[in-house]
Amino acid sequence: MSSRKPILIYLLFIGVSICSQSQEIVLNGKIIDSVSGESLVGTNVILPNLQGTSTGIDGRFSLVIPSQVNHIEIRFTGYESRMLHINKHGGSPQNILIKLKPRQEMLEQVVVSAGKYEMKLSEITVSMDLLKADYISAINTTSMDQALDKMSGVNIIDGQANIRGGSGYSYGAGSRVLLLVDGLPMLTGDAGSSSWSFVPLENISQVEVIKGASSVLYGSSALNGVINLRTAYPTSTPQTRISFFNGVSAKPQHNITHELDHIQYQIFQGDTIAADSIFKEKAWWGKRLPFESGFSVLHKQKFKQLDFVAGLFSINSESFNQGAFSRRIRGNIATRYHFARYKGLQAGVNANVQQGSSANFFMWNGDGSQTYIPLGNTMTTNYGYKLTLDPFINFQHKNFSQKLQGRWYRNYNYAEKEQSTFSDLLYGEYQAQKQFQKGLRLTGGFTFSYTRVLADLYNQDSITASNRAIYLQADKKFFNRLSISAGGRYEFNRVDSNREAKPVFRIGVNYRAAKATFLRASFGQGYRFPTIAEMFIKTSVGFLNIYPNQTLHSETGWSAELGIKQGIRLDQWNGFVDLAIFQTDYQDMMEFTFGGVDGSLFGFQSVNIGNTQIRGFELTLSGDGKIGSLPLTLHGGYTYLNPKFQVFDSVSAQNSSADYNVLKYRFRHTLKLDAQSQLDQWTFGITARYFSYMEAVDKILVVFIPGVADFRSANEGKGDWILDARIARQFNERTKISLLINNFLNNEYSLRPGLAEAPRSIAIRLDVGL
């Protein structure tokens, strides 16, 4: 009997251990930033069955751990995920402090635009590029297009964006690139143009650019890609930041011009010539330099369960282009309320309002001394206001989330010459997302928009347009290496009495071939319905008329790419190299064309010009860290395009300045690179951009606009290098002053015929945190 006693005690100990390991426990925790110590609100705490919870406004959570579970996963945007083992010997409840590290690896950066949920940059199936908030402020961005124009594969021509040559220049109407702010469209209801100056720059957290057709998730205007600007909410520590900036433009490099033709004639006649008739300055401004000055204020704070953000921005500028100016002031607020009683439920309203006036410079009066002087009657002065109001409700329960969001976008623009427009756009979206076990995620929803326009510009009392769409996308991971994404969308469009409905589809694959090697392939269809402006505009700019075309029909297309992303580590520096080979085909591409449909009009009309194709490749490099003791941040890339008509004939060539097969307003070669380093409290940065010669433009501009033919002849076959430099001094944690010199080499160049780009400018910026 005594010999059995140790055995019974041993068996009893095992039984107690098994019971203690199999019991449920309550885990209470707080999650903070490992560097700053700030509480991380909205962090996901996930069980193996994909259920779980998220942290509240103080970074705390409480979760029942089932008997069979011995680990949990912690995930939060911008931070490294953690897998934690649960020690069930400690009894219940248990309290734990969890510290998350901010992501340092470039391949681990988190994006949301590719699939409308958080994904690692390395695992998405399409090409995407990022802009960070620090970079946007470091280059003293006063309008979002200034920062975007420094990204590889993205070009901004007179305010219009194109990605990898997917668009040319359409005189301000119709965009194939969809601009989003927090996932909501920021295109005007009538013209579909991007509102770059209306974006709340002072509160940007990250800009995500999708390169290629994205119509499945985002609709008609995303034919060429998507630019999604994500704003920031407050952390547990209140933040206030004030910025002041002031800059001036210098005289152009070749400021003195020689009027040789009539001078030689006068000399042969023996006339006396005054000095001012021989030498003229391009810089019409004399001692009163063109300038740009302004300020921004941002405050972010948590009030218990309420997140609150308020921003203010003001700018006053007088351009180097004579008569052009911009004066505007913008204010914005963002609110988000976390319902304590209903965990996972959030609601809020965001608002953005801007008032301003401006005069727009459309065309120069000639090369030489008239470069910065407007061609007669081509200036347009306007004033007005813009307003967005964005209510939303989000609900997340375990592995199922729902989102209901809307936007009212009012754009009232009072302009001379009967060019005023007053538009209201209402947009709504419902989205549901379900994550299943074994790596499957479904995202679906429907959208609705309605636009009403009152405008002299369209020669009608009132025009309305609407859009309805339903979409579904499935994302599946296999073996933690292979990701497949596929989806479809069906859209109904109407402008006035013109109606159309079409489906689009996409599929993409990403395969992790090695630890830091990712292969991808994607195919996506695109679709764009004409805007109100393209169908109904009737106006004139100087001697050029612009005519309506109510027979215009939609353009469709597709884009495909093969890509490889390779991670790099050199000492303490990490980054990646990305190579993409792409092709985009359009059917019935829409473009403003001189002469119109039948060539009989003296002016421009939006017409379907035929089928086009853009092939090319892009090589990008991005990285951050230290090489030896030198901090170095690099970002940039080279893009090559071969843009052409699928069938080239005399009709295709009749309005082009080129007599061979090439699409208008494209750069065959572009190179963009930004480098930044730091030495003690000093930061140094340089941006280099190269644009090859624009081979084809509208022939009418070369023939009729003074100086365009001479300028293009003098620069034929040449490209343009533009260098921007910056230096900043960080005095303490809250105060920084920067000196910025744009167009450092003072290169005289033009990206669009008849419009010279800025000469060298010098600016000072002061950033102060309170």
Side-chain angles (χ1 to χ4, degrees):
M1 183 73 178
S2 61
S3 63
R4 295 178 182 177
K5 188 174 182 179
I7 298 175
L8 292 175
I9 294 173
Y10 180 69
L11 292 175
L12 180 63
F13 175 77
I14 292 175
V16 170
S17 299
I18 292 174
C19 290
S20 66
Q21 291 179 6
S22 63
Q23 67 183 356
E24 290 185 349
I25 69 165
V26 176
L27 182 65
N28 298 320
K30 182 176 182 180
I31 304 178
I32 64 172
D33 185 301
S34 64
V35 178
S36 66
E38 292 183 349
S39 301
L40 299 180
V41 181
T43 305
N44 294 316
V45 184
I46 304 170
L47 297 169
N49 64 358
L50 301 180
Q51 298 183 4
T53 187
S54 58
T55 58
I57 59 173
D58 55 358
R60 296 183 182 277
F61 71 93
S62 181
L63 183 65
V64 176
I65 307 297
S67 57
Q68 69 275 18
V69 173
N70 57 17
H71 69 273
I72 59 173
E73 186 178 5
I74 314 297
R75 297 180 188 170
F76 190 57
T77 304
Y79 289 80
E80 296 178 3
S81 299
R82 286 189 62 182
M83 193 72 72
L84 295 180
H85 179 75
I86 306 301
N87 179 14
K88 295 191 174 180
H89 295 295
S92 179
Q94 291 187 18
N95 298 298
I96 186 173
L97 178 67
I98 302 171
K99 298 181 180 180
L100 292 186
K101 295 181 179 179
R103 292 185 184 274
Q104 299 297 327
E105 299 287 340
M106 300 294 289
L107 291 174
E108 298 293 309
Q109 295 179 101
V110 174
V111 296
V112 299
S113 302
K116 292 200 171 185
Y117 70 95
E118 294 179 3
M119 305 173 68
K120 293 180 181 179
L121 180 63
S122 58
E123 296 179 350
I124 62 177
T125 62
V126 294
S127 285
M128 179 182 282
D129 214 345
L130 304 179
L131 277 180
K132 295 294 187 179
D134 289 345
Y135 178 74
I136 294 172
S137 62
I139 62 174
N140 191 37
T141 304
T142 58
S143 181
M144 193 63 227
D145 53 328
Q146 298 169 356
L148 291 168
D149 197 45
K150 294 176 170 59
M151 299 182 72
S152 60
V154 180
N155 292 319
I156 310 292
I157 300 176
D158 196 15
Q160 294 187 257
N162 79 74
I163 298 176
R164 291 176 173 173
S167 301
Y169 176 65
S170 58
Y171 298 86
S175 176
R176 298 186 184 96
V177 177
L178 178 60
L179 175 64
L180 304 171
V181 176
D182 291 325
L184 294 169
M186 190 66 93
L187 300 179
T188 57
D190 56 343
S193 58
S194 301
S195 304
W196 305 117
S197 64
F198 190 37
V199 170
L201 291 169
E202 59 276 11
N203 191 36
I204 296 296
S205 65
Q206 181 168 282
V207 179
E208 302 174 358
V209 178
I210 301 176
K211 302 176 180 180
S214 306
S215 293
V216 166
L217 286 180
Y218 294 104
S220 175
S221 296
L223 180 60
N224 185 215
V226 169
I227 298 172
N228 187 16
L229 288 76
R230 296 169 53 192
T231 59
Y233 278 101
T235 60
S236 57
T237 302
Q239 295 177 317
T240 301
R241 187 173 68 247
I242 304 175
S243 300
F244 303 91
F245 57 89
N246 189 67
V248 296
S249 295
K251 293 183 178 182
Q253 182 179 17
H254 305 290
N255 185 41
I256 305 300
T257 62
H258 304 267
E259 311 295 344
L260 295 179
D261 291 340
H262 76 272
I263 291 172
Q264 290 176 350
Y265 174 78
Q266 289 178 326
I267 289 174
F268 288 135
Q269 298 298 317
D271 295 341
T272 301
I273 306 166
D276 60 357
S277 68
I278 300 177
F279 303 105
K280 292 186 177 182
E281 284 192 88
K282 294 180 182 178
W284 55 268
W285 50 83
K287 294 182 179 180
R288 181 179 170 83
L289 300 179
F291 69 89
E292 180 179 76
S293 62
F295 68 89
S296 66
V297 182
L298 178 68
H299 179 74
K300 298 189 290 187
Q301 187 171 353
K302 286 181 175 294
F303 298 94
K304 294 184 178 180
Q305 292 158 258
L306 177 66
D307 299 336
F308 178 78
V309 180
L312 181 67
F313 177 87
S314 177
I315 188 171
N316 180 21
S317 69
E318 291 188 5
S319 175
F320 54 91
N321 284 320
Q322 189 180 60
F325 68 88
S326 177
R327 302 182 184 98
R328 62 183 189 270
I329 183 168
R330 183 187 66 244
N332 60 86
I333 62 169
T335 62
R336 181 176 63 181
Y337 186 80
H338 304 263
F339 291 84
R341 188 173 180 180
Y342 304 98
K343 200 163 190 180
L345 179 62
Q346 303 171 346
V349 177
N350 303 331
N352 190 20
V353 61
Q354 176 175 284
Q355 186 172 17
S357 60
S358 64
N360 300 321
F361 186 104
F362 181 70
M363 199 71 66
W364 68 29
N365 196 42
D367 193 15
S369 63
Q370 302 294 302
T371 300
Y372 306 116
I373 308 297
L375 185 67
N377 204 32
T378 61
M379 293 287 295
T380 302
T381 302
N382 54 73
Y383 67 95
Y385 72 93
K386 299 175 184 288
L387 167 71
T388 58
L389 193 65
D390 309 334
F392 67 89
I393 300 175
N394 299 331
F395 181 69
Q396 181 171 350
H397 179 66
K398 298 180 180 179
N399 55 348
F400 180 66
S401 65
Q402 299 179 81
K403 179 186 296 184
L404 182 64
Q405 58 185 352
R407 167 163 287 169
W408 170 35
Y409 183 8
R410 167 165 284 188
N411 181 39
Y412 273 30
N413 183 52
Y414 300 85
E416 56 186 9
K417 303 175 185 177
E418 297 185 340
Q419 294 182 356
S420 299
T421 60
F422 311 101
S423 68
D424 284 291
L425 184 149
L426 298 176
Y427 175 88
E429 179 178 9
Y430 170 78
Q431 176 191 305
Q433 194 169 93
K434 172 74 172 179
Q435 183 175 355
F436 299 88
Q437 296 189 35
K438 299 183 179 179
L440 174 64
R441 184 188 298 264
L442 292 180
T443 303
F446 56 85
T447 66
F448 171 81
S449 69
Y450 175 81
T451 299
R452 182 170 182 263
V453 177
L454 303 173
D456 299 330
L457 193 61
Y458 306 127
N459 202 33
Q460 290 196 27
D461 292 335
S462 175
I463 304 175
T464 62
S466 62
N467 171 279
R468 292 168 291 156
I470 185 170
Y471 63 89
L472 178 66
Q473 178 165 297
D475 296 272
K476 181 77 167 73
K477 293 193 73 171
F478 298 89
F479 316 113
N480 205 31
R481 281 184 175 270
L482 177 65
S483 299
I484 298 178
S485 178
R489 183 185 189 97
Y490 199 82
E491 272 205 356
F492 304 83
N493 282 285
R494 178 189 64 82
V495 172
D496 198 46
S497 60
N498 300 275
R499 303 170 186 269
E500 188 176 69
K502 283 192 178 182
V504 289
F505 301 95
R506 72 168 299 270
I507 187 169
V509 178
N510 183 296
Y511 179 70
R512 181 167 61 87
K515 182 179 179 180
T517 304
F518 298 84
L519 308 176
R520 67 178 184 276
S522 65
F523 172 87
Q525 293 179 314
Y527 164 62
R528 189 173 78 84
F529 197 69
T531 63
I532 290 174
E534 289 170 303
M535 298 184 75
F536 291 94
I537 189 169
K538 187 176 182 181
T539 188
S540 62
V541 180
F543 64 89
L544 293 174
N545 296 315
I546 302 176
Y547 296 94
N549 181 8
Q550 297 182 36
T551 64
L552 191 67
H553 57 267
S554 64
E555 59 184 0
T556 59
W558 58 265
S559 65
E561 96 168 6
L562 296 173
I564 178 171
K565 191 182 294 290
Q566 176 62 55
I568 303 173
R569 179 175 290 277
L570 299 172
D571 196 12
Q572 302 176 62
W573 192 87
N574 74 86
F576 62 82
V577 174
D578 188 285
L579 174 64
I581 302 172
F582 56 85
Q583 177 173 327
T584 301
D585 280 26
Y586 293 115
Q587 288 75 48
D588 293 324
M589 175 180 268
M590 290 182 281
E591 191 172 275
F592 275 92
T593 301
F594 186 80
V597 176
D598 57 7
S600 63
L601 302 175
F602 188 79
F604 288 90
Q605 185 182 51
S606 186
V607 301
N608 298 101
I609 63 171
N611 301 337
T612 60
Q613 181 182 90
I614 300 103
R615 289 179 175 175
F617 69 88
E618 185 171 271
L619 181 66
T620 60
L621 168 68
S622 187
D624 184 42
K626 288 185 176 181
I627 299 179
S629 59
L630 178 69
L632 182 62
T633 300
L634 287 176
H635 187 80
Y638 166 74
T639 307
Y640 168 79
L641 302 176
N642 183 20
K644 61 182 183 179
F645 288 93
Q646 294 185 31
V647 177
F648 185 69
D649 51 28
S650 59
V651 177
S652 306
Q654 67 180 355
N655 290 298
S656 175
S657 62
D659 57 3
Y660 54 94
N661 192 358
V662 61
L663 297 180
K664 294 181 293 185
Y665 299 106
R666 271 79 169 180
F667 303 105
R668 197 175 293 272
H669 306 274
T670 58
L671 175 66
K672 301 181 181 182
L673 180 66
D674 186 272
Q676 180 172 295
S677 188
Q678 186 174 343
L679 180 62
D680 296 327
Q681 289 80 31
W682 293 91
T683 302
F684 307 89
I686 187 168
T687 302
R689 289 174 291 159
Y690 173 78
F691 303 93
S692 63
Y693 176 71
M694 185 177 284
E695 300 171 38
V697 300
D698 284 304
K699 184 187 295 184
I700 185 67
L701 301 184
V702 178
V703 174
F704 283 98
I705 303 302
V708 170
D710 291 340
F711 185 89
R712 287 182 56 79
S713 177
N715 292 277
E716 186 173 1
K718 302 176 184 177
D720 291 298
W721 280 99
I722 302 95
L723 298 180
D724 303 331
R726 61 188 184 272
I727 181 172
R729 173 70 157 83
Q730 190 83 41
F731 291 94
N732 52 51
E733 186 178 333
R734 298 183 174 184
T735 306
K736 181 177 73 172
I737 189 168
S738 307
L739 174 67
L740 304 102
I741 305 176
N742 290 333
N743 194 1
F744 186 86
L745 301 178
N746 207 12
N747 189 14
E748 296 183 42
Y749 67 106
S750 172
L751 300 182
R752 195 264 285 167
L755 182 66
E757 298 298 318
R760 180 189 296 133
S761 65
I762 303 173
I764 295 177
R765 178 184 173 106
L766 174 65
D767 294 282
V768 180
L770 302 179

